[in-house]
Amino acid sequence: MKFRILTLILIILTSCINETKFDSEVWNKKGVDWQVTDFREKMVADLIKSDTLIGLNKIELFELIGKPGREFDNKLEYLVREKYEWNVDPEYIKYLWVDLDKNGIVTNCYLEKTR
């Protein structure tokens, strides 16, 4: 009985983990939008914390995480997650922003969540 309870607790705790290691192939995977962004949302924290993007040039960046959805001067925007519940409007949208210096080198990246 104790083993079953311990196993159940372990399953619940591990299913609550929303962070996984960044994987370029999974990040760039094509498919249904909600599936793709679900994977990205779980990887983005590792991507930012590990400084994987810092120091890459634009070509290396595009090879690693693809081309951005939008580009503003030296800022690139990548869709991470568009989360819907029961409404037509999204519950929230998360973007990964990548800052480039004047030479096109990544200097910073951060997550932005909008409602």
Side-chain angles (χ1 to χ4, degrees):
M1 181 68 173
K2 287 182 181 180
F3 179 73
R4 288 184 185 179
I5 293 172
L6 183 59
T7 303
L8 180 61
I9 291 171
L10 187 58
I11 290 171
I12 291 170
L13 289 175
T14 56
S15 67
C16 293
I17 296 172
N18 289 328
E19 190 176 314
T20 59
K21 187 161 175 51
F22 172 74
D23 182 326
S24 179
E25 186 176 321
V26 174
W27 181 277
N28 288 303
K29 196 176 199 178
K30 303 292 183 220
V32 181
D33 285 346
W34 67 267
Q35 289 174 328
V36 172
T37 61
D38 186 47
F39 294 131
R40 286 183 175 188
E41 186 173 38
K42 291 177 181 177
M43 289 187 285
V44 74
D46 179 62
L47 182 63
I48 293 170
K49 284 185 214 173
S50 66
D51 286 338
T52 300
L53 304 179
I54 305 301
L56 297 179
N57 65 43
K58 214 172 183 180
I59 294 169
E60 294 167 328
L61 177 69
F62 291 173
E63 288 173 357
L64 190 64
I65 65 171
K67 292 193 177 179
R70 296 189 298 172
E71 188 170 344
F72 305 94
D73 296 321
N74 290 330
K75 290 178 110 25
L76 309 176
E77 177 193 73
Y78 290 86
L79 176 64
V80 172
R81 178 67 188 246
E82 200 168 55
K83 174 76 170 160
Y84 290 90
E85 288 296 325
W86 304 106
N87 197 341
V88 175
D89 297 324
E91 180 182 336
Y92 65 85
I93 302 173
K94 286 184 181 178
Y95 295 102
L96 171 67
W97 284 93
V98 178
D99 296 336
L100 306 172
D101 67 12
K102 63 182 179 179
N103 298 314
I105 305 297
V106 177
T107 58
N108 186 33
C109 57
Y110 57 94
L111 193 61
E112 178 183 71
K113 183 177 179 179
T114 61
R115 291 201 174 253

